[in-house]
Amino acid sequence: MRWKSYRHRFLPWILLNWRKQFLKNSPKNPIPSHGFVDSSYFVKQLDFYLTHLNGALQSRYGTDETIFLTDHLSRSFARCTKGYCTLGLQSAEETLGFTISRCRSTIIEAGTGVRVTKGVIPKNHLVALYPGLIYQVGEPILLQSLANKFIFRCQDGVLLDGNDRALSKHLFRSCAGRDIVGAHLMCDISWLTDHPINMLNVGQYINNHTEEMPANVEYHELDLELEFPARYLKYIPNIEYSWNHQENIPRTRRIILLRSLREINTGEELFSTYFRLIK
């Protein structure tokens, strides 16, 4: 049963079964779609939430920006983010109108899932972010990929490793420490703990849909442009594996978000489809 739940993340199985799954999700059993997707629409939602979150945290933990940044940095690496997480949930409820969190999945033996804990998620709305270390095409990921069901492959071959344990966890923390600028973290590392500061950073735990439980969210791939406020990058759960991709070269930040296909109510579990990715 465990293999049936997670085989959709295993690249060789996906390649061998792509045609069958494509036909399965075609005319006879179509997955709802909103047609053209304007990435800027979701970036604005993300920016609105992070603006409120950053303001709430700074008001509570230090009105002086330097004090706040130092506190944020030290708490993040010390894994002491429970207070930040609580404020993050309050901020999400006030700005987005809902909260989500990890839970035991309703799918037997599927392990952890993600559920709406408060409010209602509107149709075609930002729901979650898929965290992880970003690997460009050709970068080494063999050891990290062993027994790792959280490797996400983008349309252009870029990979995101959303595993919050073992080697993947240590590599992410190492790369986050490498890219610190002054007291500024350039990504979120609290998603590796039980208390993520940014509530949205749990997308890797959203399970694949079943016949009984159809997809209510889908993946959307985009790059955060250079204009995205640098002060909010500390809430984005992605960072590049290779320093060479950042040194002296202005780069965008690859993120994978999940958007709602319909209105999703309190108590409902989120389900995606691993065979559908919008760019």
Side-chain angles (χ1 to χ4, degrees):
M1 187 67 183
R2 187 175 297 277
W3 167 247
K4 290 182 179 179
S5 298
Y6 293 120
R7 62 189 178 184
H8 305 90
R9 299 181 186 269
F10 185 56
L11 185 58
W13 187 91
I14 291 175
L15 294 176
L16 289 173
N17 291 272
W18 182 265
R19 176 176 173 77
K20 182 173 69 174
Q21 292 296 321
F22 176 79
L23 292 175
K24 180 179 178 181
N25 289 332
S26 289
K28 185 178 179 181
N29 297 296
I31 295 174
S33 177
H34 299 294
F36 175 75
V37 179
D38 184 1
S39 297
S40 64
Y41 173 71
F42 300 109
V43 174
K44 288 178 181 177
Q45 291 180 348
L46 179 62
D47 182 85
F48 179 64
Y49 165 55
L50 296 184
T51 298
H52 190 280
L53 171 62
N54 192 69
L57 291 174
Q58 187 168 340
S59 297
R60 175 71 65 87
Y61 292 97
T63 52
D64 180 81
E65 185 175 10
T66 302
I67 295 176
F68 167 59
L69 290 174
T70 302
D71 184 75
H72 176 273
L73 182 65
S74 61
R75 285 175 181 268
S76 294
F77 276 99
R79 304 180 181 89
C80 298
T81 56
K82 186 174 182 179
Y84 275 46
C85 177
T86 300
L87 270 180
L89 290 171
Q90 293 175 1
S91 182
E93 187 175 6
E94 293 173 7
T95 56
L96 301 177
F98 66 88
T99 61
I100 60 173
S101 66
R102 287 170 281 193
C103 66
R104 179 174 294 277
S105 178
T106 53
I107 300 177
I108 299 176
E109 295 188 14
T112 304
V114 179
R115 186 187 306 276
V116 182
T117 50
K118 286 185 180 180
V120 177
I121 303 176
K123 181 179 178 180
N124 199 29
H125 198 282
L126 170 66
V127 175
L129 298 175
Y130 196 102
L133 200 56
I134 305 167
Y135 290 85
Q136 298 296 326
V137 177
E139 292 184 335
I141 194 175
L142 176 61
L143 292 179
Q144 303 91 296
S145 68
L146 297 177
N148 185 350
K149 58 181 178 287
F150 295 109
I151 303 293
F152 188 101
R153 186 182 187 280
C154 299
Q155 290 181 341
D156 59 0
V158 171
L159 301 174
L160 272 67
D161 181 4
N163 192 4
D164 56 11
R165 296 183 175 87
L167 178 59
S168 299
K169 176 179 181 177
H170 295 297
L171 283 173
F172 192 96
R173 285 175 60 88
S174 176
C175 291
R178 174 200 66 196
D179 290 349
I180 291 174
V181 179
H184 292 263
L185 261 177
M186 301 307 289
C187 65
D188 174 49
I189 60 175
S190 67
W191 69 271
L192 296 166
T193 73
D194 292 331
H195 301 106
I197 298 172
N198 181 353
M199 172 202 73
L200 301 175
N201 298 346
V202 294
Q204 82 276 32
Y205 281 111
I206 295 177
N207 284 306
N208 193 47
H209 73 289
T210 65
E211 291 183 2
E212 298 77 19
M213 301 172 183
N216 49 23
V217 299
E218 69 179 1
Y219 297 102
H220 182 72
E221 170 187 326
L222 63 90
D223 292 321
L224 290 179
E225 300 298 333
L226 298 176
E227 293 76 18
F228 186 80
R231 64 184 179 278
Y232 298 153
L233 289 178
K234 60 181 176 288
Y235 305 118
I236 301 298
N238 308 102
I239 196 73
E240 292 277 351
Y241 167 78
S242 176
W243 172 263
N244 294 329
H245 285 291
Q246 298 189 30
E247 187 175 18
N248 300 322
I249 303 176
R251 289 189 61 84
T252 56
R253 178 76 59 92
R254 174 64 54 84
I255 66 171
I256 302 296
L257 61 83
L258 291 103
R259 62 166 184 155
S260 53
L261 294 172
R262 61 170 176 81
E263 187 176 276
I264 309 173
N265 298 304
T266 300
E268 288 192 71
E269 184 176 349
L270 303 178
F271 296 104
S272 62
T273 170
Y274 296 161
F275 285 92
R276 185 176 179 84
L277 174 64
I278 306 298
K279 184 174 182 180

